[in-house]
Amino acid sequence: MSGLAIEQVRSPHFDWTPQPVDQAAGAREFEPIPHVVAWNLTKRCNLACAHCYISAGSWHAPDGELTTAECRRIADEILALNPAPLFVLSGGEPLLRDDLEEIAAHACGRGATVVVGTNGTRLTAERIDSLKAAGVRGVAVSVDSLNPVYHDRFRHGGGALVDVLAAVERLRARRLDFVIQTTVTRGNRQELEALVAWAAEKGAVSFNLYFLVATGRGESMPGLTPAENEAVLEELVELQRRYRGALMIRSKCQPQIMRHVYERDPDSPLLNYETRCPCGVQYCRITPEGKVTPCPYLPVVAGDLRERSFAEIWRDSAVFRQLRTDERGGKCGRCEYRGICGGCRARAYADAGDYLGPDESCAYEPTGAPLVRRARAVTYGMPAAPALRWSAAARQRLERVPSFVRGVVTARLEQYAQERGHTEVTVELMEEVRRNLPIDFSKKRPFFLSQDGTD
């Protein structure tokens, strides 16, 4: 990775003077930056999903939710720390907030990439159009089964699957990128391959498989056993290899997938993640009332945005400082894969009340082997200074890419240029790379360039 000073990380712009490539910089530590913020705007929801971490439902009132003005102020505070973050606006059901588009437009107009997480049942054609007009770049919708009996029962809403499948067709017709999100249970475990195939056929840019964390309403739900988790992860690794170039496939709340791809798939785009759990380092959550927590599934409060600024909480919170250390308890702390996995901090807290403790959902037992280092010099969330010249137009285009992926994009574009004898990155070269990607982005508006659409 090219060297880049911390001062440049804080700046809205790169120093575009070509820098010598520093091969040793992969081990350098950088200041934690809020690249991705999950923002629960409301606890209100038209459904009452069995696993909901926020225990959302129709009985919640809007009292106590952050006002529109407070949301605008908080967005500005985050943008002062990072001028190009990714905001994931969700709930509850965020479409129940009449000011959703106003909040999204405010953030988009100041440089953020905004996506919306929804159960999909209220995505009418008119609402999709209004989200697009506000600058929203994509939508994540939940599909837990293609069997309406299972999906509707799991989501506690009659006709929910019919509604969300219709919403997927509307998203396709209006060319708004979408992600399919599924929570794996014993009830839908055997449907995984069919769900991935369906998501790919419908044109999703990513399929995210969530592993249950026992928090919120999911506290009483049994998750998979460690051995079952291993089997699912092995299947996911094969599926993400099979669908490479057509669909990104990831596990959520189960970073143990990194061990599998490291061992079995050195070409996997998943290796572009660091990946230890990013909570409190590159990622955090804001609750409807303005509390900041490390992630949606880890309810320990790091600070209150009605009492302190986002910058104060992000920089000074004792919770975040602890999560940014390398100290983990139990087998996670002695595992040779702790540098690329580290276990799920939310699950460690849910199971034993210690977010630095071991993630007992993992079947792997450490062997005492040397620490496994990350497979790539530049991973998501890391900066990368340019080693080549960039045209003014190319610089301007790259600066619109969210900070989370910008370093990886920089490195990949320069590698492509150097392999073909170019000494400058231009818009024409960027378009050439885009055309040569396995996914035909000429037929898409790839908002997930902000996360992993480059792979």
Short mmCIF file of all heavy atoms in Angstrom, two decimals, residues 326-354:
data_model
loop_
_atom_site.label_atom_id
_atom_site.label_comp_id
_atom_site.label_asym_id
_atom_site.label_seq_id
_atom_site.Cartn_x
_atom_site.Cartn_y
_atom_site.Cartn_z
N ASP A 326 -6.20 -4.89 20.37
CA ASP A 326 -6.06 -6.23 19.82
C ASP A 326 -6.37 -7.30 20.86
O ASP A 326 -6.17 -8.47 20.62
CB ASP A 326 -4.65 -6.44 19.27
CG ASP A 326 -4.39 -5.63 18.02
OD1 ASP A 326 -5.35 -5.37 17.27
OD2 ASP A 326 -3.23 -5.26 17.79
N GLU A 327 -6.83 -6.89 22.02
CA GLU A 327 -7.02 -7.84 23.10
C GLU A 327 -8.39 -8.49 23.01
O GLU A 327 -9.42 -7.82 23.10
CB GLU A 327 -6.85 -7.13 24.45
CG GLU A 327 -5.47 -6.52 24.63
CD GLU A 327 -5.38 -5.68 25.89
OE1 GLU A 327 -6.39 -5.63 26.63
OE2 GLU A 327 -4.33 -5.07 26.12
N ARG A 328 -8.41 -9.79 22.84
CA ARG A 328 -9.63 -10.57 22.83
C ARG A 328 -9.48 -11.72 23.83
O ARG A 328 -8.39 -12.23 24.04
CB ARG A 328 -9.93 -11.14 21.43
CG ARG A 328 -10.11 -10.07 20.36
CD ARG A 328 -11.40 -9.28 20.58
NE ARG A 328 -11.63 -8.31 19.53
CZ ARG A 328 -11.36 -7.01 19.63
NH1 ARG A 328 -10.78 -6.55 20.72
NH2 ARG A 328 -11.64 -6.19 18.64
N GLY A 329 -10.57 -12.12 24.42
CA GLY A 329 -10.50 -13.15 25.43
C GLY A 329 -10.71 -14.54 24.86
O GLY A 329 -11.16 -14.72 23.72
N GLY A 330 -10.40 -15.55 25.68
CA GLY A 330 -10.64 -16.93 25.31
C GLY A 330 -9.94 -17.33 24.03
O GLY A 330 -8.86 -16.85 23.70
N LYS A 331 -10.56 -18.25 23.30
CA LYS A 331 -9.89 -18.78 22.11
C LYS A 331 -9.77 -17.75 21.00
O LYS A 331 -8.85 -17.84 20.17
CB LYS A 331 -10.60 -20.03 21.61
CG LYS A 331 -12.01 -19.82 21.06
CD LYS A 331 -12.57 -21.17 20.57
CE LYS A 331 -13.92 -21.02 19.92
NZ LYS A 331 -14.44 -22.33 19.44
N CYS A 332 -10.64 -16.72 20.97
CA CYS A 332 -10.48 -15.66 19.97
C CYS A 332 -9.17 -14.91 20.17
O CYS A 332 -8.53 -14.48 19.20
CB CYS A 332 -11.65 -14.67 20.03
SG CYS A 332 -13.20 -15.28 19.33
N GLY A 333 -8.75 -14.76 21.43
CA GLY A 333 -7.52 -14.04 21.71
C GLY A 333 -6.26 -14.80 21.39
O GLY A 333 -5.20 -14.20 21.21
N ARG A 334 -6.35 -16.13 21.30
CA ARG A 334 -5.15 -16.91 21.01
C ARG A 334 -5.20 -17.56 19.62
O ARG A 334 -4.27 -18.27 19.23
CB ARG A 334 -4.92 -17.97 22.07
CG ARG A 334 -6.01 -19.02 22.19
CD ARG A 334 -5.69 -20.06 23.26
NE ARG A 334 -6.66 -21.14 23.28
CZ ARG A 334 -7.79 -21.13 23.97
NH1 ARG A 334 -8.07 -20.08 24.73
NH2 ARG A 334 -8.63 -22.15 23.93
N CYS A 335 -6.26 -17.30 18.88
CA CYS A 335 -6.42 -17.94 17.57
C CYS A 335 -5.48 -17.32 16.54
O CYS A 335 -5.30 -16.09 16.49
CB CYS A 335 -7.86 -17.79 17.10
SG CYS A 335 -8.19 -18.58 15.50
N GLU A 336 -4.90 -18.15 15.71
CA GLU A 336 -3.98 -17.65 14.68
C GLU A 336 -4.70 -16.83 13.62
O GLU A 336 -4.06 -16.10 12.84
CB GLU A 336 -3.22 -18.81 14.03
CG GLU A 336 -4.07 -19.86 13.35
CD GLU A 336 -4.44 -21.02 14.25
OE1 GLU A 336 -4.60 -20.82 15.47
OE2 GLU A 336 -4.56 -22.15 13.73
N TYR A 337 -6.04 -16.91 13.57
CA TYR A 337 -6.81 -16.14 12.60
C TYR A 337 -7.40 -14.87 13.20
O TYR A 337 -8.24 -14.22 12.60
CB TYR A 337 -7.94 -17.00 12.02
CG TYR A 337 -7.45 -18.10 11.13
CD1 TYR A 337 -7.27 -19.38 11.63
CD2 TYR A 337 -7.15 -17.86 9.79
CE1 TYR A 337 -6.80 -20.41 10.81
CE2 TYR A 337 -6.68 -18.87 8.97
CZ TYR A 337 -6.52 -20.14 9.49
OH TYR A 337 -6.05 -21.14 8.68
N ARG A 338 -6.93 -14.49 14.39
CA ARG A 338 -7.53 -13.34 15.06
C ARG A 338 -7.30 -12.03 14.30
O ARG A 338 -8.06 -11.08 14.45
CB ARG A 338 -6.99 -13.21 16.48
CG ARG A 338 -5.49 -12.94 16.59
CD ARG A 338 -5.04 -13.02 18.04
NE ARG A 338 -3.61 -12.78 18.21
CZ ARG A 338 -2.67 -13.71 18.09
NH1 ARG A 338 -3.04 -14.96 17.81
NH2 ARG A 338 -1.39 -13.41 18.26
N GLY A 339 -6.28 -11.98 13.45
CA GLY A 339 -6.02 -10.75 12.70
C GLY A 339 -6.96 -10.54 11.54
O GLY A 339 -7.17 -9.41 11.11
N ILE A 340 -7.54 -11.62 11.00
CA ILE A 340 -8.44 -11.48 9.86
C ILE A 340 -9.88 -11.85 10.21
O ILE A 340 -10.77 -11.69 9.39
CB ILE A 340 -7.98 -12.32 8.65
CG1 ILE A 340 -7.98 -13.82 8.98
CG2 ILE A 340 -6.61 -11.86 8.16
CD1 ILE A 340 -7.73 -14.72 7.77
N CYS A 341 -10.08 -12.34 11.43
CA CYS A 341 -11.42 -12.69 11.87
C CYS A 341 -11.72 -12.02 13.20
O CYS A 341 -12.36 -10.99 13.25
CB CYS A 341 -11.56 -14.21 11.97
SG CYS A 341 -13.10 -14.77 12.76
N GLY A 342 -11.25 -12.58 14.28
CA GLY A 342 -11.45 -11.98 15.59
C GLY A 342 -12.78 -12.29 16.24
O GLY A 342 -13.03 -11.88 17.37
N GLY A 343 -13.66 -13.02 15.52
CA GLY A 343 -14.95 -13.35 16.09
C GLY A 343 -15.92 -12.18 16.10
O GLY A 343 -15.54 -11.03 15.90
N CYS A 344 -17.19 -12.49 16.31
CA CYS A 344 -18.24 -11.47 16.36
C CYS A 344 -18.33 -10.91 17.78
O CYS A 344 -18.61 -11.64 18.73
CB CYS A 344 -19.58 -12.07 15.93
SG CYS A 344 -20.98 -10.95 16.11
N ARG A 345 -18.09 -9.61 17.91
CA ARG A 345 -18.12 -8.98 19.22
C ARG A 345 -19.53 -8.91 19.79
O ARG A 345 -19.74 -9.00 21.00
CB ARG A 345 -17.52 -7.57 19.14
CG ARG A 345 -16.06 -7.53 18.68
CD ARG A 345 -15.14 -8.27 19.63
NE ARG A 345 -14.88 -9.65 19.23
CZ ARG A 345 -14.76 -10.67 20.05
NH1 ARG A 345 -14.90 -10.50 21.34
NH2 ARG A 345 -14.51 -11.87 19.61
N ALA A 346 -20.52 -8.74 18.91
CA ALA A 346 -21.90 -8.68 19.38
C ALA A 346 -22.34 -10.02 19.96
O ALA A 346 -23.04 -10.08 20.97
CB ALA A 346 -22.82 -8.26 18.24
N ARG A 347 -21.94 -11.11 19.31
CA ARG A 347 -22.34 -12.42 19.81
C ARG A 347 -21.64 -12.75 21.12
O ARG A 347 -22.23 -13.35 22.02
CB ARG A 347 -22.05 -13.50 18.76
CG ARG A 347 -22.62 -14.86 19.16
CD ARG A 347 -22.48 -15.88 18.08
NE ARG A 347 -23.32 -15.56 16.93
CZ ARG A 347 -22.87 -15.04 15.79
NH1 ARG A 347 -21.58 -14.77 15.65
NH2 ARG A 347 -23.70 -14.77 14.80
N ALA A 348 -20.37 -12.35 21.25
CA ALA A 348 -19.67 -12.56 22.51
C ALA A 348 -20.39 -11.84 23.64
O ALA A 348 -20.53 -12.38 24.75
CB ALA A 348 -18.23 -12.06 22.39
N TYR A 349 -20.89 -10.65 23.37
CA TYR A 349 -21.62 -9.90 24.39
C TYR A 349 -22.98 -10.52 24.68
O TYR A 349 -23.38 -10.66 25.83
CB TYR A 349 -21.79 -8.44 23.94
CG TYR A 349 -22.51 -7.59 24.96
CD1 TYR A 349 -21.84 -7.09 26.07
CD2 TYR A 349 -23.86 -7.30 24.82
CE1 TYR A 349 -22.49 -6.31 27.02
CE2 TYR A 349 -24.53 -6.53 25.75
CZ TYR A 349 -23.84 -6.04 26.85
OH TYR A 349 -24.49 -5.28 27.78
N ALA A 350 -23.68 -10.92 23.61
CA ALA A 350 -25.01 -11.51 23.80
C ALA A 350 -24.94 -12.81 24.58
O ALA A 350 -25.82 -13.10 25.40
CB ALA A 350 -25.67 -11.75 22.44
N ASP A 351 -23.90 -13.59 24.35
CA ASP A 351 -23.81 -14.91 24.99
C ASP A 351 -23.26 -14.85 26.41
O ASP A 351 -23.66 -15.65 27.26
CB ASP A 351 -22.92 -15.82 24.14
CG ASP A 351 -23.59 -16.22 22.83
OD1 ASP A 351 -24.81 -15.99 22.68
OD2 ASP A 351 -22.89 -16.74 21.94
N ALA A 352 -22.33 -13.91 26.66
CA ALA A 352 -21.66 -13.93 27.96
C ALA A 352 -21.50 -12.55 28.59
O ALA A 352 -20.88 -12.44 29.65
CB ALA A 352 -20.29 -14.61 27.83
N GLY A 353 -22.02 -11.50 27.94
CA GLY A 353 -21.93 -10.17 28.52
C GLY A 353 -20.57 -9.53 28.42
O GLY A 353 -20.30 -8.53 29.09
N ASP A 354 -19.69 -10.04 27.56
CA ASP A 354 -18.33 -9.51 27.42
C ASP A 354 -18.02 -9.34 25.94
O ASP A 354 -17.77 -10.31 25.24
CB ASP A 354 -17.33 -10.46 28.07
CG ASP A 354 -15.89 -9.98 27.97
OD1 ASP A 354 -15.67 -8.84 27.50
OD2 ASP A 354 -14.98 -10.74 28.35
#
